[in-house]
Amino acid sequence: MKAILFVFPFVLAVAYFPISQCQNLPLIEQTCKQTPYYGLCVTLLKSDPRSKTAGDVQAIALIMVDIIKAKAGGALQHIEKLKQKYPALRVPLSACKDRFNAIIIGDVPQAVEALTKGDPKFAVDAANDAALEADSCERGFSGKSPITQMNKLNHDISIITASIVKTML
Amino acid sequence: MADSNVSYNPLPDGERPRPTRRRSIVLVLSGLLVVGFLVALLSDNGSIAPANVIDNDNNNVNDNAKNGLNDVSSSSKEPERLRPFTSASSAGVSEKSNRRFGSRTASYPWTNNMLSWQRTAFHFQPQKNWMNDPNGPVFYKGWYHLFYQYNPNGAIWGDIVWGHAVSKDLIHWYHLPLAMVADQWYDIMGVWTGSATILSDGKLMMLYTGSTNESVQVQNLAYPADPSDPLLIKWVKYPGNPVLVPPPGIGAKDFRDPTTAWLTSEGKWRIAIGSRINRTGITFVYDTKDFINYELLRGVLHGVPNTGMWECVDFYPVSTTGEHGLDTSHNGPGVKHVVKASMDDDRHDYYAIGTYHEKNVTWVPDNPEIDVGIGIRYDYGLFYASKTFYDQNKKRRVLWGWIGESDSEIADVKKGWASLQGIPRTVALDTKTGSNLLQWPVEEVDSLRLTSKEFEKIELKPGSVMPLDVGSATQLDIVAEFELDKAALEKTAESNVEFSCSSSEGSAERGALGPFGLLVLADDSLSEQTPVYFYIAKGKDGSLKTYFCTDQSRSSEANDVNKSKYGSFVPVLEGEKFSMRVLVDHSIVEGFAQGGRTTITSRVYPTKAIYGAARVFLFNNATGASVTSSLKAWQMNSAFIRPYPDDDDERHSGTEPTHEVRGSKTKYLGNLLTSSLLFLNARNNFL
């Protein structure tokens, strides 16, 4: 009994370090500090189980690219719904559809290629473009956008990604 | 004594207190440790004081991004969040990040009309898809060869293989089949950039970087399958590849782009390969006798701290006396050597002039303040991964450069292609200044000139814009001279402020002695215009300093294209007029100032100033001086770049295709018809 009480805190100590490594906190935090949206960056990565086993910045960057892809896909679905709901916004919504489509078929594949094959600057370009596409989508509404928050999120995620990959150059 | 909760057996006197105290101490310590660990665990789950604190509106309270944006456009009223992040450590992450949004115009829809206009008439580009670095340029058995990084599958970077084209004159190109594809373990992740060397016996060796199945950068040897085939259609990879792997201590992804080899006085071949150690960009040097076995020479040829990875290193001699080029192996008196590298970090090509010491394998810059990576750029616009080759046919050194897009991906996807090669340029030492190179479009460009219009001594008062009737204005070669009256130059007040094209207000920023120059790809109402101009600033000591700039801020009403200003200082010597040559070829504008001392390449994507609606103007927006200009403008023909005909006979004879003459006429008429139809269509849209 006494032995258990004595040993318990040391067991906790031994258990503590693997717990923090499971969360991969130092890598996530260090990486996110290099971006202008630290809080968002940490939140996104922590909620993605893959970040627990990411071994380096490249792995983190690939997770972020996948998040761009997922969010852009979500944007496309949302835009389809909005087209029904706001027929008057059909034109800018169609433009937005093209923009998010360009992110998915252009920027994301280029970023993945660049990161996996070893020339990351092309991933910086792609991520920056993804931010630009989200911005351009927003501008198409001339101030009356029904998807401002969504566009901002997509923009910020892309900027985070570009910042992260920039550190690899 | 009342009953106590603690039961123990009374111990003999003297022993009773000790066991109790020890157990209590252990309990307390354990408790403290448990509490301590829990506190540590929980505080890590919260946020460690972040560098950037996000407030409720998701705005960055410590806004590093704002500090990093150098060119905040004062006319922009956009909320900060819409501005893409520009790293404080570099002026531009990439061309796509340097957006300067103007007014709140709606996002511009790109029509097929606008997009198809963007294809160039006399700049090299494949029929579709993505291209980047020029590779292995060489003159061999009567043909100029150009290879290039190419994606056969899309308009983005990826699946990179070697495209191939040939020409007799560096202008009229024929597309050939892909020279090399990613079919070996040592280049399966990419057949990347490389250079050609012609040996003394005429043999051609190609060294290139492969990205292996594990994404390690290695150097490989390839050579023509049939050296007697002047078109060099088929290539063989040396079975023992790779011939070079990253040296110890060098990153697996920091070792690429081998140069053309040069012969040492010992009869060995020497090559350079760029790399980095931490943030210092460097160039390794290797000696070889057979292009298969290499000796890494001690140290590095050169390195510059804080420049990052050096890509596409180039190393070549220039004559200090003549304008002609020198063979890469040439050395001796009357020779300086140029080291050039592409900076991976800021996407610009820099060069420096210096002295090569063969014995101790070093190169020393003439002026360390303008060393590689921190000094002079080949081009102050979009121009990267450039490479020279010695053209033994015309005894000149020719420079190729990759010109990327500065539009958005949506447009590239829609139009199905991305990137151009710049117009090939000769490079030579500027013997008048001795401290920079001169670049000029190869003389064969002149063969594209058709009709011309000449204008003599046009006087432009301060604040004037004058239309030039040159006919069609999308394919032009303009050579212009400008003079200011001496009195105006002398009486202008001095300024303390250092001028910079990129942080200025562009052509709208009126100074006493500038800006003045040309407006290209402009429409009648000037709602779209691309000024290419001079700006003269008077420094503190009364000396005049001239800048050459291109202003993209009003180049298009679309707001998803690059709107920044490019340019730099250009030396103007006593007695020289201000002179520029501007090539306009649809979506590319290349300006050459003072005979090529400073050059600027821009990609321009107008929505209105296209086809028959494009115009050219002269302008003088200075406040204190009139400008007199004389210029000549030529219509430029198309180069009709097309696939090499499939006829086997002509391939083997290696002569320029003859059957194609008729075909080319048909193509010309076809192009004419198409252009006319598009023009009429555009006019309808415009009206």
Side-chain angles (χ1 to χ4, degrees):
Chain A
M1 174 63 182
K2 294 176 200 176
I4 289 171
L5 285 170
F6 183 74
V7 161
F8 178 61
F10 294 96
V11 169
L12 206 58
V14 167
Y16 166 71
F17 289 108
I19 286 173
S20 80
Q21 290 306 84
C22 274
Q23 299 241 325
N24 219 348
L25 292 171
L27 177 62
I28 291 176
E29 277 149 6
Q30 186 52 44
T31 306
C32 289
K33 274 186 192 164
Q34 319 273 341
T35 77
Y37 304 114
Y38 176 85
L40 177 60
C41 176
V42 169
T43 304
L44 287 168
L45 287 169
K46 276 195 191 166
S47 58
D48 191 311
R50 290 172 294 185
S51 66
K52 291 196 175 77
T53 48
D56 55 16
V57 178
Q58 177 176 315
I60 298 280
L62 281 164
I63 293 169
M64 287 304 304
V65 171
D66 211 44
I67 293 173
I68 291 177
K69 183 177 175 186
K71 296 289 182 204
L76 281 177
Q77 290 180 331
H78 191 55
I79 286 167
E80 279 311 304
K81 290 195 193 122
L82 288 180
K83 274 188 182 173
Q84 313 298 324
K85 195 173 174 191
Y86 301 112
L89 295 178
R90 188 179 38 86
V91 168
L93 282 170
S94 283
C96 284
K97 178 183 168 186
D98 284 351
R99 297 224 172 250
F100 282 101
N101 199 40
I103 293 176
I104 292 171
I105 67 172
D107 296 329
V108 166
Q110 176 167 314
V112 171
E113 273 277 315
L115 288 166
T116 52
K117 294 190 179 175
D119 202 347
K121 67 174 178 289
F122 292 108
V124 176
D125 286 356
N128 273 326
D129 184 76
L132 171 66
E133 304 292 355
D135 272 0
S136 295
C137 160
E138 182 66 13
R139 284 175 173 276
F141 294 99
S142 304
K144 291 176 168 43
S145 165
I147 46 175
T148 300
Q149 278 311 306
M150 187 190 80
N151 280 331
K152 171 159 173 57
L153 183 62
N154 275 277
H155 166 273
D156 294 354
I157 292 172
S158 304
I159 294 299
I160 290 170
T161 309
S163 314
I164 291 173
V165 183
K166 192 101 180 38
T167 67
M168 293 169 64
L169 295 181
Chain B
M1 206 75 165
D3 269 352
S4 148
N5 287 333
V6 177
S7 61
Y8 60 91
N9 293 324
L11 292 172
D13 274 307
E15 285 181 62
R16 201 177 303 157
R18 256 181 277 132
T20 310
R21 214 172 289 137
R22 201 184 299 137
R23 186 167 64 174
S24 309
I25 288 167
V26 166
L27 272 171
V28 166
L29 276 174
S30 311
L32 281 173
L33 276 168
V34 170
V35 170
F37 281 124
L38 283 172
V39 165
L41 200 64
L42 287 168
S43 71
D44 262 343
N45 274 335
S47 57
I48 291 177
N52 300 301
V53 178
I54 311 290
D55 68 14
N56 288 338
D57 291 326
N58 258 334
N59 289 324
N60 224 330
V61 173
N62 301 331
D63 204 343
N64 293 327
K66 274 205 188 113
N67 296 333
L69 286 170
N70 297 325
D71 329 335
V72 176
S73 166
S74 56
S75 66
S76 167
K77 293 195 170 43
E78 297 312 309
E80 198 279 327
R81 67 169 179 82
L82 285 182
R83 216 171 279 144
F85 172 71
T86 305
S87 159
S89 64
S90 77
V93 169
S94 80
E95 58 273 15
K96 283 196 162 71
S97 75
N98 280 331
R99 302 291 179 219
R100 300 293 162 250
F101 295 111
S103 56
R104 271 188 185 275
T105 53
S107 171
Y108 217 97
W110 289 104
T111 64
N112 284 328
N113 225 21
M114 294 166 190
L115 294 176
S116 49
W117 173 87
Q118 291 174 10
R119 270 194 86 85
T120 63
F122 55 90
H123 282 74
F124 180 81
Q125 57 182 123
Q127 292 168 292
K128 58 176 181 169
N129 294 341
W130 168 281
M131 164 174 68
N132 53 295
D133 307 4
N135 298 152
V138 70
F139 182 80
Y140 182 83
K141 287 198 183 340
W143 286 93
Y144 289 99
H145 289 261
L146 176 66
F147 304 88
Y148 54 94
Q149 299 282 278
Y150 179 64
N151 181 352
N153 301 321
I156 57 171
W157 183 88
D159 297 338
I160 296 296
V161 297
W162 273 36
H164 186 192
V166 288
S167 170
K168 282 287 188 184
D169 63 359
L170 290 172
I171 296 296
H172 298 87
W173 292 92
Y174 298 92
H175 297 301
L176 289 177
L178 300 177
M180 291 196 286
V181 296
D183 56 6
Q184 303 296 322
W185 69 268
Y186 50 77
D187 61 17
I188 193 79
M189 295 295 218
V191 188
W192 289 352
T193 292
S195 308
T197 307
I198 299 185
L199 308 188
S200 327
D201 60 2
K203 270 219 263 300
L204 180 56
M205 297 291 201
M206 194 74 82
L207 283 173
Y208 72 96
T209 299
S211 184
T212 70
N213 55 351
E214 291 174 349
S215 298
V216 177
Q217 290 164 12
V218 298
Q219 316 312 322
N220 303 309
L221 172 65
Y223 35 81
D226 176 8
S228 70
D229 170 19
L231 297 181
L232 298 177
I233 304 232
K234 291 219 180 304
W235 287 78
V236 166
K237 296 176 184 175
Y238 168 61
N241 278 332
V243 295
L244 278 174
V245 298
I250 292 299
K253 294 175 185 167
D254 294 333
F255 185 64
R256 55 185 180 271
D257 312 332
T259 63
T260 294
W262 64 96
L263 209 47
T264 67
S265 49
E266 290 176 8
K268 293 185 198 168
W269 289 100
R270 188 163 281 183
I271 62 165
I273 302 180
S275 183
R276 65 160 155 178
I277 294 173
N278 297 324
R279 303 302 305 157
T280 298
I282 58 171
T283 298
F284 286 117
V285 191
Y286 291 84
D287 273 358
T288 181
K289 287 191 180 148
D290 53 8
F291 285 80
I292 293 170
N293 300 291
Y294 293 80
E295 179 199 347
L296 174 59
L297 300 178
R298 214 159 16 104
V300 295
L301 181 71
H302 196 57
V304 178
N306 296 316
T307 51
M309 174 70 188
W310 284 13
E311 304 189 279
C312 299
V313 167
D314 199 2
F315 178 74
Y316 56 88
V318 286
S319 164
T320 56
T321 55
E323 267 183 30
H324 60 92
L326 297 174
D327 184 284
T328 311
S329 298
H330 189 105
N331 205 352
V335 165
K336 299 238 77 163
H337 277 78
V338 173
V339 171
K340 168 262 166 187
S342 295
M343 299 297 131
D344 198 22
D345 268 12
D346 72 5
R347 304 294 281 281
H348 299 311
D349 282 6
Y350 293 82
Y351 72 85
I353 301 165
T355 306
Y356 168 52
H357 301 282
E358 191 198 275
K359 279 284 169 323
N360 54 9
V361 197
T362 54
W363 172 90
V364 179
D366 286 348
N367 183 353
E369 288 193 12
I370 48 170
D371 206 341
V372 180
I374 61 175
I376 307 176
R377 286 163 50 178
Y378 269 143
D379 187 292
Y380 286 86
L382 271 184
F383 190 87
Y384 194 68
S386 60
K387 184 181 288 299
T388 65
F389 73 101
Y390 177 62
D391 169 10
Q392 69 274 26
N393 182 36
K394 289 205 172 175
K395 311 248 182 299
R396 58 186 171 180
R397 183 156 289 271
V398 176
L399 171 67
W400 284 103
W402 165 42
I403 319 297
E405 299 291 318
S406 60
D407 64 358
S408 61
E409 189 58 40
I410 195 178
D412 295 353
V413 162
K414 211 171 175 187
K415 72 195 189 192
W417 62 271
S419 300
L420 309 169
Q421 294 295 328
I423 205 76
R425 318 164 172 196
T426 52
V427 284
L429 186 67
D430 183 353
T431 51
K432 290 185 187 150
T433 63
S435 55
N436 56 267
L437 297 172
L438 288 175
Q439 302 162 64
W440 199 248
V442 292
E443 60 185 12
E444 289 89 336
V445 171
D446 300 3
S447 73
L448 292 168
R449 289 171 168 171
L450 299 170
T451 55
S452 66
K453 282 268 173 72
E454 203 156 356
F455 303 83
E456 292 280 347
K457 297 218 187 307
I458 299 177
E459 206 208 344
L460 300 157
K461 295 221 183 323
S464 59
V465 178
M466 202 193 106
L468 294 170
D469 179 16
V470 298
S472 172
T474 55
Q475 290 168 214
L476 288 172
D477 185 355
I478 307 172
V479 173
E481 266 180 2
F482 301 85
E483 274 182 293
L484 278 70
D485 60 286
K486 280 202 174 56
L489 288 171
E490 270 153 30
K491 83 171 194 304
T492 298
E494 291 157 15
S495 162
N496 274 334
V497 182
E498 182 82 3
F499 179 82
S500 142
C501 297
S502 57
S503 57
S504 72
E505 290 300 312
S507 59
E509 178 165 321
R510 307 192 68 184
L513 302 172
F516 59 89
L518 291 165
L519 303 177
V520 299
L521 294 176
D523 65 330
D524 275 327
S525 66
L526 293 178
S527 61
E528 290 182 337
Q529 51 174 277
T530 300
V532 180
Y533 61 95
F534 290 106
Y535 185 98
I536 306 168
K538 201 167 196 181
K540 276 175 279 193
D541 53 357
S543 65
L544 296 172
K545 207 167 173 189
T546 307
Y547 295 83
F548 182 56
C549 318
T550 298
D551 178 5
Q552 300 176 116
S553 60
R554 284 172 289 173
S555 60
S556 174
E557 290 195 348
N559 53 30
D560 58 346
V561 299
N562 194 312
K563 299 272 180 88
S564 57
K565 300 111 187 167
Y566 296 145
S568 176
F569 158 72
V570 59
V572 177
L573 304 181
E574 189 72 43
E576 285 183 358
K577 292 183 192 163
F578 301 97
S579 67
M580 64 165 81
R581 181 176 182 184
V582 181
L583 293 176
V584 178
D585 185 5
H586 297 258
S587 62
I588 185 170
V589 174
E590 289 157 306
F592 299 79
Q594 303 309 107
R597 284 195 187 122
T598 295
T599 75
I600 308 172
T601 302
S602 330
R603 297 301 308 281
V604 181
Y605 309 95
T607 63
K608 289 189 183 154
I610 59 178
Y611 298 112
R615 303 275 180 269
V616 183
F617 297 80
L618 270 173
F619 82 99
N620 174 16
N621 214 16
T623 56
S626 285
V627 174
T628 306
S629 176
S630 300
L631 71 91
K632 195 162 180 183
W634 290 264
Q635 291 294 315
M636 294 297 267
N637 201 356
S638 167
F640 302 113
I641 297 172
R642 60 203 188 275
Y644 198 99
D646 248 335
D647 192 313
D648 271 332
D649 285 341
E650 276 175 345
R651 284 243 178 108
H652 286 132
S653 72
T655 55
E656 189 152 20
T658 50
H659 293 178
E660 202 58 13
V661 170
R662 201 187 313 141
S664 72
K665 276 198 186 132
T666 313
K667 268 235 154 75
Y668 175 67
L669 288 171
N671 283 342
L672 200 59
L673 191 64
T674 315
S675 308
S676 312
L677 286 170
L678 286 167
F679 166 66
L680 288 169
N681 193 28
R683 279 207 71 184
N684 287 340
N685 288 345
F686 182 64
L687 297 168

